[in-house]
């Protein structure tokens, strides 16, 4: 058997590194270099470590260093490197080599817990994360003694060790908070509870007693309170999926102590720091979360405890200051009230008008104020401010929690709550009107209040989708928002400007179109604002408005309506990228992409200038890619420039290549991994635009695309396959003549892909293009080997996905080379093989083929087998003729069979193992579906009728008699319909 050169396995023989001082010294030096700020020193060191991490003992070297090295910096570096190594390599992926040798796995699991518990905290945290990554894969089946080994350490009495165990347990169990329910998960949680719940409860009680014993010892209290916080986090994780019997039986212990800790105020634990939350705040925040969990999910069992928690949390809210360090505590406390007030059970607690007024006045309004800390973030930490305010990662901000509480209260008390707040809004706006310069924060709070009152339901795509009818959004827009947008000085009151822009953005589905059109030019001028938040919001608002759909499924705002502003829009967007702090602003780049997509041909006159700016930006970010979203939208914008310009004038493709190729070359030479999948997609797009020939610049690159190292990275596979398909489509003939020596390499890629369950469909895409576009004689010598490889894979693991792709391939082969060639190649591998394939694969499985083009290929292929293969008419294969025809009529008429065998372990193609640059599909580099049969066959049913007619005239009487004896009546009826439609008959 021949094997193709590409398939020399990279990791095949893991070479072992001797555990000796010389090697330790070498590793230390390289680790030190990875910390060097100079990329010419750092990059080679990183590459070296990458090259040796497949060797046996490598992880043990790292563990030795982090335990014994004298230099603390190296110890921490070794710990981080070890954690990342585990993150990348521990998971065993089917079809892929095991990247950590078995002896290393055993040694790591045997030593890591002791090592973690005896290390200083900085290293302990890294190892604790590593344990949870290993635990995620191996616990409980492959690491059954992990928990018992951890629980026994509770008895040590040493809280450095105990906290190490708690921290590890927390990182191991916190996934229970977001895993989907399954029997496997339940049995794992049950095992954890059986081993862990009682010791955790005993530890909880003992720690609380120790807090009383050491009430005056501040250092002891710090350690004990960090233990209590971890214990409370574990309580949350273990109770999240369902209420465990153990915790229900011990609810009195837990809830009484939680309540006691909530009301505790130990002066020793109060901190002077106004920013950083202290241990007391962190513990109380977690207890508020735990109480909210029980109030929401287990309200019946929790009912006896609820009133005292409501009282304690209310007192906490009224007595806690405005400092930043209390933000998490206050927001969790408000979230507790929000989750309680939404439950019909507890409605009575909030019915009284005085209670509502008191909540509005004492909790909601104060926590909606724009504090000086918010102002600082707005000015100096705009990225974090935007993340919290726009992207909803402000879960732990006071404003978001107060907003949620307003929504919760409106569920049952919309009228009274709206009335109370309307008063507040009017008085705040009144204060602002008296002295805008001094009182602008009053207007900010008023806008926020109106927003939280008005919004009932919200989606990322449409903004607010359901609004409170008691709030007149239009009137508020005209009276209070428009004035800020129209103000000629875009840099005055940036916070209010940002509020006004955000108002347009979130209520875009509620405001009439004329108001949105009025806002567009105003938003365009705000792109020039100095404030990062303000110009970012303007870009984001425009991008969202451009995606709104009108009545006839086109965009709400049309290119014609944008015509007067096109030039200013493009100018201001590109200028905004030059503003300080926005060089890689993903919102601006997304707005550029969306503007191109909306404006289409209208951008063509500007492209010659803009493409230079985009490629220059690409060159800069490729030096150190750090903003994945920005980079993605940058490549999307490049694709749009190419598609829109070349659509009207395909010859301009060469000017794009001139602009892009120098940058692409640099990216390929420097192996900028994050960008390679994008570069391959853009190159495919460019190559697909060429008429049928491959320019020499592409041919020079062709051999490099077959390098094994490129195919090792999962993210490269889909775009590289597409690029190779473009090469084959445009230049199959020139590859056969000028690069014939590369054909084995091409087939080697196919062989590698076909062996993987995750990527076998990509292997078939490549193979189908080879069959369709390469001259037949250029692959004659390889054909038999290709089929043998496919059969080997069928025997070793037959998945539905593989069968579907296999069926499409053999039918395409039949369409391309003829039915006789198909029958002969099967029978040359093994006598009567053709019959077996028909009987065992094609006839029973063809119903599973999905997709119009795939079904068409199978229909035409099977028609050829039925009507152009003499062996089907006069050998032992004849008995399969009618069942095959029946299967074909079934493919035409029956619903698709999408059943999957119960035991089949389906691989999620998206689930890339470990940490790799995943493949990101560029929407605007999209490839049109290709139909290899094209217009040659319009309707396969008519083709079947015509082909059967032709066959019956060649051997009169045979076809009707075969049909009448064994084709079922329903199928026969369908066939008569095809014959009538084709106006032919059988003889």
């Amino acid at each position: 058997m021949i094997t193709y050169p590409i398939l020399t396995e990279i990791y095949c023989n893991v070479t072992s590194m001797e555990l000796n001082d010389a090697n330790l010294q070498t590793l230390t030096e390289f680790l030190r270099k990875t910390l060097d700020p100079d990329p010419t020193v750092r990059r080679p060191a990183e590459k070296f470590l990458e090259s040796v991490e497949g060797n046996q003992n490598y992880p043990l070297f790292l563990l030795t260093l982090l335990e014994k090295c004298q230099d603390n910096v190296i110890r921490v570096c070794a710990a981080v490197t070890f954690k990342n190594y585990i993150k990348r390599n521990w998971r065993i992926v089917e079809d892929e080599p095991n990247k950590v040798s078995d002896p290393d796995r055993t040694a790591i699991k045997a030593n890591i817990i002791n090592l973690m518990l005896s290390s200083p905290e900085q290293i302990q945290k890294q190892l604790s994360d590593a344990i949870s990554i290993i635990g995620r894969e191996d616990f409980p089946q492959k690491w059954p003694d992990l928990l018992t080994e951890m629980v026994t350490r509770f008895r040590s009495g040493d809280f450095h060790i105990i906290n190490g165990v708690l921290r590890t347990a927390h990182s191991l169990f916190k996934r229970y908070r977001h895993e989907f329910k399954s029997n496997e998960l339940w049995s794992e949680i049950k095992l954890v509870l059986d081993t862990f719940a009682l010791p955790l409860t005993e530890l909880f009680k003992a720690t609380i007693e120790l807090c009383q014993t050491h009430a005056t010892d501040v250092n002891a209290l710090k350690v004990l309170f960090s233990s209590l916080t971890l214990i409370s986090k574990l309580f949350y994780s273990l109770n999240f999926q369902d209420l465990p019997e153990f915790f229900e039986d011990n609810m009195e212990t837990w809830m009484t102590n939680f309540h006691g800790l909530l009301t505790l105020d130990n002066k020793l634990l109060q901190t002077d720091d106004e920013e950083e939350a202290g241990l007391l705040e962190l513990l109380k925040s977690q207890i508020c979360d735990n109480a909210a969990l029980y109030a929401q999910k287990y309200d019946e069992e929790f009912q006896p405890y609820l009133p005292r928690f409501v009282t304690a949390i209310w007192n906490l809210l009224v007595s806690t200051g405005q400092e930043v360090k209390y933000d998490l505590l206050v927001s969790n406390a408000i979230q507790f009230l929000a989750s309680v007030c939404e439950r019909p059970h507890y409605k009575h607690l909030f019915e009284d008008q005085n209670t509502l007024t008191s909540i509005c006045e004492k909790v909601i309004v104060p926590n909606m104020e724009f504090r000086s800390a918010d102002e600082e973030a707005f000015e100096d930490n705009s990225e974090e401010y935007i993340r919290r305010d726009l992207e909803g990662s402000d879960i732990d901000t006071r404003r978001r929690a107060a907003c949620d509480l307003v929504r919760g209260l409106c569920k049952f008390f919309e009228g009274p709550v709206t009335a109370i707040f309307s008063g507040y809004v009017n008085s705040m706006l009144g204060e602002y009107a008296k002295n805008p310069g001094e009182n602008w924060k009053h207007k900010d709070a008023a806008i926020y209040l109106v927003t939280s009152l008005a919004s009932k339901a919200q989606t990322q795509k449409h903004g607010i989708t359901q609004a409170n009818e008691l709030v007149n959004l239009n009137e508020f827009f005209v009276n209070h928002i428009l004035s800020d947008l129209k103000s000629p000085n875009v840099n005055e009151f940036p916070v209010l400007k940002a509020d006004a822009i955000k108002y347009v953005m979130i209520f875009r589905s509620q405001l009439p179109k004329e108001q949105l059109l009025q806002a567009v030019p105003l938003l365009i001028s705000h792109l020039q604002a100095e404030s990062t938040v303000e110009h970012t919001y303007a870009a984001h608002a425009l991008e969202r408005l451009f995606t709104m759909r009108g009545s006839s499924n086109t965009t709400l705002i049309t290119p014609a309506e944008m015509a007067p502003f096109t030039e200013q829009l493009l100018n201001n967007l590109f200028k905004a990228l030059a503003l300080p702090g926005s060089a890689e602003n993903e919102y601006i780049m997304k707005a550029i992409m969306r503007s191109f997509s909306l404006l289409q041909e209208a951008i063509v006159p500007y492209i010659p200038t803009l493409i230079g700016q985009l490629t220059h930006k690409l060159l800069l970010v490729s030096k150190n890619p750090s903003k994945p979203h920005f980079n993605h939208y940058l490549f999307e914008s490049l694709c749009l420039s190419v598609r829109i310009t070349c659509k009207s004038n395909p010859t301009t493709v060469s000017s794009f290549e001139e602009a892009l190729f120098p940058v692409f070359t640099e990216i390929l030479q420097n192996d900028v991994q994050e960008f390679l999948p994008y570069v391959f997609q853009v190159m495919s797009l460019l190559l697909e635009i060429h008429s049928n020939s491959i320019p020499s610049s592409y041919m020079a690159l062709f051999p490099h695309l077959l390098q094994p190292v490129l195919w090792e990275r999962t993210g490269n596979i889909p775009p590289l396959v597409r690029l190779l398909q473009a090469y084959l489509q445009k230049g199959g003939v020139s590859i056969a003549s000028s690069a014939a020596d590369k054909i084995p390499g091409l087939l080697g890629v196919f062989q590698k892909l076909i062996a993987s369950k995750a990527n076998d469909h990509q292997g078939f895409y490549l193979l189908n293009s080879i069959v369709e576009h390469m001259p037949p004689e250029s692959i004659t010598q390889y054909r038999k080997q290709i089929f043998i490889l496919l059969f080997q894979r069928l025997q070793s693991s037959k998945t539905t996905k593989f069968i579907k792709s296999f069926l499409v391939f053999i039918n395409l082969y039949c369409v391309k080379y003829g039915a006789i060639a198909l029958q002969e190649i099967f029978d040359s591998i093994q006598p009567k093989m053709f019959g077996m394939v028909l009987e065992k694969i094609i006839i029973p499985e063809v119903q599973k083929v999905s997709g119009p083009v795939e079904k068409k290929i199978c229909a035409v292929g099977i028609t050829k087998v039925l009507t152009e293969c003499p062996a089907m008419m006069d050998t032992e294969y004849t008995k399969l003729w009618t069942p095959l025809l029946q299967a074909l009529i079934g493919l035409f008429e029956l619903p698709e069979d999408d059943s999957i065998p119960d035991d089949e372990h389906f691989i999620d193609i998206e689930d890339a193992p470990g940490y790799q640059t995943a493949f990101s599909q560029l929407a605007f580099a999209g490839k049109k579906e290709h139909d290899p049969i094209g217009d040659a066959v319009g309707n396969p049913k008519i083709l079947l009728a015509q082909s059967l007619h032709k066959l019956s005239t060649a051997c009169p009487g045979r076809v009707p008699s075969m049909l009448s004896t064994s084709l079922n009546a329903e199928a026969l009826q369908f066939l008569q319909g095809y014959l009538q439609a084709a106006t032919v008959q059988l003889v």
Side-chain angles (χ1 to χ4, degrees), residues 507-521:
F507 292 118
R508 60 187 180 276
S509 296
Q510 259 62 40
L511 296 169
K513 180 176 174 178
E514 54 274 15
Q515 290 186 350
L516 298 177
L517 282 175
Q518 195 180 358
V520 166

mmCIF file with all atom_site columns, all heavy atoms in Angstrom, residues 507-521:
data_model
loop_
_atom_site.group_PDB
_atom_site.id
_atom_site.type_symbol
_atom_site.label_atom_id
_atom_site.label_alt_id
_atom_site.label_comp_id
_atom_site.label_asym_id
_atom_site.label_entity_id
_atom_site.label_seq_id
_atom_site.pdbx_PDB_ins_code
_atom_site.Cartn_x
_atom_site.Cartn_y
_atom_site.Cartn_z
_atom_site.occupancy
_atom_site.B_iso_or_equiv
_atom_site.pdbx_formal_charge
_atom_site.auth_seq_id
_atom_site.auth_comp_id
_atom_site.auth_asym_id
_atom_site.auth_atom_id
_atom_site.pdbx_PDB_model_num
ATOM 1   N N   . PHE A 1 507 ? -33.980 52.345 21.736 1.00 0.00 ? 507 PHE A N   1
ATOM 2   C CA  . PHE A 1 507 ? -35.408 52.451 21.396 1.00 0.00 ? 507 PHE A CA  1
ATOM 3   C C   . PHE A 1 507 ? -35.622 52.544 19.883 1.00 0.00 ? 507 PHE A C   1
ATOM 4   O O   . PHE A 1 507 ? -36.654 53.031 19.432 1.00 0.00 ? 507 PHE A O   1
ATOM 5   C CB  . PHE A 1 507 ? -36.041 53.649 22.111 1.00 0.00 ? 507 PHE A CB  1
ATOM 6   C CG  . PHE A 1 507 ? -36.116 53.460 23.606 1.00 0.00 ? 507 PHE A CG  1
ATOM 7   C CD1 . PHE A 1 507 ? -35.450 54.315 24.470 1.00 0.00 ? 507 PHE A CD1 1
ATOM 8   C CD2 . PHE A 1 507 ? -36.849 52.411 24.160 1.00 0.00 ? 507 PHE A CD2 1
ATOM 9   C CE1 . PHE A 1 507 ? -35.499 54.122 25.851 1.00 0.00 ? 507 PHE A CE1 1
ATOM 10  C CE2 . PHE A 1 507 ? -36.903 52.213 25.539 1.00 0.00 ? 507 PHE A CE2 1
ATOM 11  C CZ  . PHE A 1 507 ? -36.236 53.071 26.391 1.00 0.00 ? 507 PHE A CZ  1
ATOM 12  N N   . ARG A 1 508 ? -34.644 52.045 19.087 1.00 0.00 ? 508 ARG A N   1
ATOM 13  C CA  . ARG A 1 508 ? -34.737 52.201 17.634 1.00 0.00 ? 508 ARG A CA  1
ATOM 14  C C   . ARG A 1 508 ? -35.978 51.515 17.061 1.00 0.00 ? 508 ARG A C   1
ATOM 15  O O   . ARG A 1 508 ? -36.515 51.954 16.056 1.00 0.00 ? 508 ARG A O   1
ATOM 16  C CB  . ARG A 1 508 ? -33.465 51.684 16.952 1.00 0.00 ? 508 ARG A CB  1
ATOM 17  C CG  . ARG A 1 508 ? -33.140 50.219 17.188 1.00 0.00 ? 508 ARG A CG  1
ATOM 18  C CD  . ARG A 1 508 ? -31.760 49.872 16.613 1.00 0.00 ? 508 ARG A CD  1
ATOM 19  N NE  . ARG A 1 508 ? -31.393 48.472 16.802 1.00 0.00 ? 508 ARG A NE  1
ATOM 20  C CZ  . ARG A 1 508 ? -30.838 47.995 17.920 1.00 0.00 ? 508 ARG A CZ  1
ATOM 21  N NH1 . ARG A 1 508 ? -30.599 48.798 18.934 1.00 0.00 ? 508 ARG A NH1 1
ATOM 22  N NH2 . ARG A 1 508 ? -30.530 46.715 18.020 1.00 0.00 ? 508 ARG A NH2 1
ATOM 23  N N   . SER A 1 509 ? -36.422 50.422 17.703 1.00 0.00 ? 509 SER A N   1
ATOM 24  C CA  . SER A 1 509 ? -37.606 49.738 17.156 1.00 0.00 ? 509 SER A CA  1
ATOM 25  C C   . SER A 1 509 ? -38.899 50.446 17.552 1.00 0.00 ? 509 SER A C   1
ATOM 26  O O   . SER A 1 509 ? -39.960 50.134 17.026 1.00 0.00 ? 509 SER A O   1
ATOM 27  C CB  . SER A 1 509 ? -37.651 48.287 17.640 1.00 0.00 ? 509 SER A CB  1
ATOM 28  O OG  . SER A 1 509 ? -36.546 47.589 17.129 1.00 0.00 ? 509 SER A OG  1
ATOM 29  N N   . GLN A 1 510 ? -38.816 51.368 18.509 1.00 0.00 ? 510 GLN A N   1
ATOM 30  C CA  . GLN A 1 510 ? -40.015 52.077 18.998 1.00 0.00 ? 510 GLN A CA  1
ATOM 31  C C   . GLN A 1 510 ? -40.177 53.445 18.329 1.00 0.00 ? 510 GLN A C   1
ATOM 32  O O   . GLN A 1 510 ? -41.266 53.966 18.259 1.00 0.00 ? 510 GLN A O   1
ATOM 33  C CB  . GLN A 1 510 ? -39.899 52.315 20.518 1.00 0.00 ? 510 GLN A CB  1
ATOM 34  C CG  . GLN A 1 510 ? -40.688 51.331 21.380 1.00 0.00 ? 510 GLN A CG  1
ATOM 35  C CD  . GLN A 1 510 ? -40.223 49.915 21.222 1.00 0.00 ? 510 GLN A CD  1
ATOM 36  O OE1 . GLN A 1 510 ? -39.039 49.686 21.131 1.00 0.00 ? 510 GLN A OE1 1
ATOM 37  N NE2 . GLN A 1 510 ? -41.139 48.973 21.167 1.00 0.00 ? 510 GLN A NE2 1
ATOM 38  N N   . LEU A 1 511 ? -39.064 54.033 17.885 1.00 0.00 ? 511 LEU A N   1
ATOM 39  C CA  . LEU A 1 511 ? -39.136 55.389 17.328 1.00 0.00 ? 511 LEU A CA  1
ATOM 40  C C   . LEU A 1 511 ? -39.529 55.321 15.853 1.00 0.00 ? 511 LEU A C   1
ATOM 41  O O   . LEU A 1 511 ? -39.114 54.408 15.140 1.00 0.00 ? 511 LEU A O   1
ATOM 42  C CB  . LEU A 1 511 ? -37.775 56.098 17.474 1.00 0.00 ? 511 LEU A CB  1
ATOM 43  C CG  . LEU A 1 511 ? -37.311 56.342 18.914 1.00 0.00 ? 511 LEU A CG  1
ATOM 44  C CD1 . LEU A 1 511 ? -35.856 56.797 18.931 1.00 0.00 ? 511 LEU A CD1 1
ATOM 45  C CD2 . LEU A 1 511 ? -38.188 57.372 19.617 1.00 0.00 ? 511 LEU A CD2 1
ATOM 46  N N   . PRO A 1 512 ? -40.326 56.311 15.358 1.00 0.00 ? 512 PRO A N   1
ATOM 47  C CA  . PRO A 1 512 ? -40.709 56.278 13.939 1.00 0.00 ? 512 PRO A CA  1
ATOM 48  C C   . PRO A 1 512 ? -39.498 56.525 13.034 1.00 0.00 ? 512 PRO A C   1
ATOM 49  O O   . PRO A 1 512 ? -38.519 57.148 13.448 1.00 0.00 ? 512 PRO A O   1
ATOM 50  C CB  . PRO A 1 512 ? -41.723 57.425 13.810 1.00 0.00 ? 512 PRO A CB  1
ATOM 51  C CG  . PRO A 1 512 ? -41.536 58.276 15.014 1.00 0.00 ? 512 PRO A CG  1
ATOM 52  C CD  . PRO A 1 512 ? -40.956 57.418 16.092 1.00 0.00 ? 512 PRO A CD  1
ATOM 53  N N   . LYS A 1 513 ? -39.608 56.051 11.783 1.00 0.00 ? 513 LYS A N   1
ATOM 54  C CA  . LYS A 1 513 ? -38.481 56.112 10.854 1.00 0.00 ? 513 LYS A CA  1
ATOM 55  C C   . LYS A 1 513 ? -37.995 57.543 10.633 1.00 0.00 ? 513 LYS A C   1
ATOM 56  O O   . LYS A 1 513 ? -36.789 57.792 10.577 1.00 0.00 ? 513 LYS A O   1
ATOM 57  C CB  . LYS A 1 513 ? -38.867 55.467 9.519  1.00 0.00 ? 513 LYS A CB  1
ATOM 58  C CG  . LYS A 1 513 ? -37.720 55.510 8.507  1.00 0.00 ? 513 LYS A CG  1
ATOM 59  C CD  . LYS A 1 513 ? -38.024 54.791 7.207  1.00 0.00 ? 513 LYS A CD  1
ATOM 60  C CE  . LYS A 1 513 ? -36.891 55.007 6.218  1.00 0.00 ? 513 LYS A CE  1
ATOM 61  N NZ  . LYS A 1 513 ? -37.090 54.303 4.948  1.00 0.00 ? 513 LYS A NZ  1
ATOM 62  N N   . GLU A 1 514 ? -38.932 58.521 10.559 1.00 0.00 ? 514 GLU A N   1
ATOM 63  C CA  . GLU A 1 514 ? -38.472 59.894 10.280 1.00 0.00 ? 514 GLU A CA  1
ATOM 64  C C   . GLU A 1 514 ? -37.565 60.418 11.390 1.00 0.00 ? 514 GLU A C   1
ATOM 65  O O   . GLU A 1 514 ? -36.629 61.178 11.140 1.00 0.00 ? 514 GLU A O   1
ATOM 66  C CB  . GLU A 1 514 ? -39.642 60.851 9.995  1.00 0.00 ? 514 GLU A CB  1
ATOM 67  C CG  . GLU A 1 514 ? -40.729 60.911 11.034 1.00 0.00 ? 514 GLU A CG  1
ATOM 68  C CD  . GLU A 1 514 ? -41.799 59.806 10.827 1.00 0.00 ? 514 GLU A CD  1
ATOM 69  O OE1 . GLU A 1 514 ? -41.525 58.847 10.048 1.00 0.00 ? 514 GLU A OE1 1
ATOM 70  O OE2 . GLU A 1 514 ? -42.861 59.918 11.421 1.00 0.00 ? 514 GLU A OE2 1
ATOM 71  N N   . GLN A 1 515 ? -37.830 59.974 12.629 1.00 0.00 ? 515 GLN A N   1
ATOM 72  C CA  . GLN A 1 515 ? -36.943 60.422 13.716 1.00 0.00 ? 515 GLN A CA  1
ATOM 73  C C   . GLN A 1 515 ? -35.566 59.763 13.609 1.00 0.00 ? 515 GLN A C   1
ATOM 74  O O   . GLN A 1 515 ? -34.545 60.385 13.891 1.00 0.00 ? 515 GLN A O   1
ATOM 75  C CB  . GLN A 1 515 ? -37.594 60.130 15.075 1.00 0.00 ? 515 GLN A CB  1
ATOM 76  C CG  . GLN A 1 515 ? -38.788 61.037 15.311 1.00 0.00 ? 515 GLN A CG  1
ATOM 77  C CD  . GLN A 1 515 ? -39.380 60.898 16.703 1.00 0.00 ? 515 GLN A CD  1
ATOM 78  O OE1 . GLN A 1 515 ? -39.026 60.002 17.448 1.00 0.00 ? 515 GLN A OE1 1
ATOM 79  N NE2 . GLN A 1 515 ? -40.276 61.799 17.038 1.00 0.00 ? 515 GLN A NE2 1
ATOM 80  N N   . LEU A 1 516 ? -35.559 58.501 13.174 1.00 0.00 ? 516 LEU A N   1
ATOM 81  C CA  . LEU A 1 516 ? -34.264 57.822 12.998 1.00 0.00 ? 516 LEU A CA  1
ATOM 82  C C   . LEU A 1 516 ? -33.476 58.499 11.866 1.00 0.00 ? 516 LEU A C   1
ATOM 83  O O   . LEU A 1 516 ? -32.269 58.706 11.983 1.00 0.00 ? 516 LEU A O   1
ATOM 84  C CB  . LEU A 1 516 ? -34.470 56.335 12.697 1.00 0.00 ? 516 LEU A CB  1
ATOM 85  C CG  . LEU A 1 516 ? -35.168 55.513 13.792 1.00 0.00 ? 516 LEU A CG  1
ATOM 86  C CD1 . LEU A 1 516 ? -35.363 54.070 13.333 1.00 0.00 ? 516 LEU A CD1 1
ATOM 87  C CD2 . LEU A 1 516 ? -34.386 55.539 15.095 1.00 0.00 ? 516 LEU A CD2 1
ATOM 88  N N   . LEU A 1 517 ? -34.179 58.844 10.775 1.00 0.00 ? 517 LEU A N   1
ATOM 89  C CA  . LEU A 1 517 ? -33.490 59.514 9.656  1.00 0.00 ? 517 LEU A CA  1
ATOM 90  C C   . LEU A 1 517 ? -32.960 60.883 10.072 1.00 0.00 ? 517 LEU A C   1
ATOM 91  O O   . LEU A 1 517 ? -31.895 61.311 9.628  1.00 0.00 ? 517 LEU A O   1
ATOM 92  C CB  . LEU A 1 517 ? -34.435 59.669 8.461  1.00 0.00 ? 517 LEU A CB  1
ATOM 93  C CG  . LEU A 1 517 ? -34.641 58.403 7.621  1.00 0.00 ? 517 LEU A CG  1
ATOM 94  C CD1 . LEU A 1 517 ? -35.689 58.626 6.549  1.00 0.00 ? 517 LEU A CD1 1
ATOM 95  C CD2 . LEU A 1 517 ? -33.330 57.940 6.977  1.00 0.00 ? 517 LEU A CD2 1
ATOM 96  N N   . GLN A 1 518 ? -33.707 61.534 10.951 1.00 0.00 ? 518 GLN A N   1
ATOM 97  C CA  . GLN A 1 518 ? -33.263 62.832 11.472 1.00 0.00 ? 518 GLN A CA  1
ATOM 98  C C   . GLN A 1 518 ? -31.992 62.637 12.315 1.00 0.00 ? 518 GLN A C   1
ATOM 99  O O   . GLN A 1 518 ? -31.090 63.475 12.320 1.00 0.00 ? 518 GLN A O   1
ATOM 100 C CB  . GLN A 1 518 ? -34.392 63.386 12.355 1.00 0.00 ? 518 GLN A CB  1
ATOM 101 C CG  . GLN A 1 518 ? -34.258 64.852 12.682 1.00 0.00 ? 518 GLN A CG  1
ATOM 102 C CD  . GLN A 1 518 ? -35.423 65.328 13.569 1.00 0.00 ? 518 GLN A CD  1
ATOM 103 O OE1 . GLN A 1 518 ? -36.333 64.567 13.905 1.00 0.00 ? 518 GLN A OE1 1
ATOM 104 N NE2 . GLN A 1 518 ? -35.384 66.575 13.953 1.00 0.00 ? 518 GLN A NE2 1
ATOM 105 N N   . ALA A 1 519 ? -31.917 61.482 12.997 1.00 0.00 ? 519 ALA A N   1
ATOM 106 C CA  . ALA A 1 519 ? -30.776 61.226 13.889 1.00 0.00 ? 519 ALA A CA  1
ATOM 107 C C   . ALA A 1 519 ? -29.505 60.860 13.119 1.00 0.00 ? 519 ALA A C   1
ATOM 108 O O   . ALA A 1 519 ? -28.393 61.135 13.582 1.00 0.00 ? 519 ALA A O   1
ATOM 109 C CB  . ALA A 1 519 ? -31.119 60.104 14.865 1.00 0.00 ? 519 ALA A CB  1
ATOM 110 N N   . VAL A 1 520 ? -29.646 60.237 11.921 1.00 0.00 ? 520 VAL A N   1
ATOM 111 C CA  . VAL A 1 520 ? -28.457 59.715 11.218 1.00 0.00 ? 520 VAL A CA  1
ATOM 112 C C   . VAL A 1 520 ? -27.356 60.764 11.006 1.00 0.00 ? 520 VAL A C   1
ATOM 113 O O   . VAL A 1 520 ? -26.217 60.566 11.437 1.00 0.00 ? 520 VAL A O   1
ATOM 114 C CB  . VAL A 1 520 ? -28.852 59.008 9.892  1.00 0.00 ? 520 VAL A CB  1
ATOM 115 C CG1 . VAL A 1 520 ? -27.632 58.769 9.006  1.00 0.00 ? 520 VAL A CG1 1
ATOM 116 C CG2 . VAL A 1 520 ? -29.507 57.666 10.206 1.00 0.00 ? 520 VAL A CG2 1
ATOM 117 N N   . PRO A 1 521 ? -27.638 61.912 10.369 1.00 0.00 ? 521 PRO A N   1
ATOM 118 C CA  . PRO A 1 521 ? -26.540 62.879 10.165 1.00 0.00 ? 521 PRO A CA  1
ATOM 119 C C   . PRO A 1 521 ? -25.978 63.405 11.482 1.00 0.00 ? 521 PRO A C   1
ATOM 120 O O   . PRO A 1 521 ? -24.788 63.721 11.584 1.00 0.00 ? 521 PRO A O   1
ATOM 121 C CB  . PRO A 1 521 ? -27.186 64.011 9.362  1.00 0.00 ? 521 PRO A CB  1
ATOM 122 C CG  . PRO A 1 521 ? -28.655 63.813 9.479  1.00 0.00 ? 521 PRO A CG  1
ATOM 123 C CD  . PRO A 1 521 ? -28.899 62.366 9.754  1.00 0.00 ? 521 PRO A CD  1
#
